Amino acid sequence: QVQLVESGGGLAQAGDSLRLSCAASDRTFSSYAMGWFRQAPGKEREFVATITRSGGRTGYANSVKGRFTISRDNAKNTVYLQMNSLKPEDTAVYYCAADLVGGSRVAEYDYWGQGTQVTVSS
């Protein structure tokens, strides 16, 4: 079972940048597609970005395309989410997730981290 631990969240102002990290416990990390999701208060968890096992392909929600970048370092068992040009509507708890196949839906992921809070003020 993969254990995931997110870090890097915090307070930011509109226009700032933050980088989230998600460290995996499993030495077979490179076998998993990874995703980032977020959940704002009172809203459902939503897809942010995904990356394939090798890192060769990525996908993004329209709301973050061009501002966020997902990447991974399989040697460090870590996936990252670089968030630039942050907006107040990016405020949410951000979760990383792992799955052997992956995708853009919450139901497609078997393993989840505990989340890290990102708050963006205007």
Side-chain angles (χ1 to χ4, degrees):
Q1 183 169 346
V2 180
Q3 293 185 330
L4 304 171
V5 179
E6 301 97 335
S7 62
L11 300 175
Q13 293 188 328
D16 284 352
S17 297
L18 284 175
R19 189 176 82 154
L20 305 183
S21 299
C22 173
S25 63
D26 200 307
R27 288 181 293 175
T28 60
F29 173 74
S30 61
S31 299
Y32 295 92
M34 300 297 296
W36 284 99
F37 291 77
R38 67 187 181 186
Q39 188 166 17
K43 295 188 176 181
E44 293 187 352
R45 193 168 299 189
E46 66 175 9
F47 168 72
V48 174
T50 186
I51 189 166
T52 54
R53 289 171 288 183
S54 67
R57 284 188 297 161
T58 58
Y60 298 92
N62 287 335
S63 59
V64 307
K65 200 172 294 183
R67 299 188 298 121
F68 291 10
T69 302
I70 188 171
S71 62
R72 66 189 297 162
D73 185 338
N74 286 343
K76 295 183 178 180
N77 292 352
T78 302
V79 63
Y80 305 97
L81 185 68
Q82 177 67 43
M83 306 186 294
N84 298 331
S85 302
L86 283 163
K87 303 176 181 180
E89 51 264 44
D90 294 320
T91 296
V93 177
Y94 283 72
Y95 299 89
C96 70
D99 187 78
L100 292 177
V101 177
S104 61
R105 296 183 297 130
V106 170
E108 292 176 304
Y109 288 83
D110 287 333
Y111 304 105
W112 292 84
Q114 83 290 347
T116 185
Q117 177 70 47
V118 171
T119 302
V120 184
S121 62
S122 57

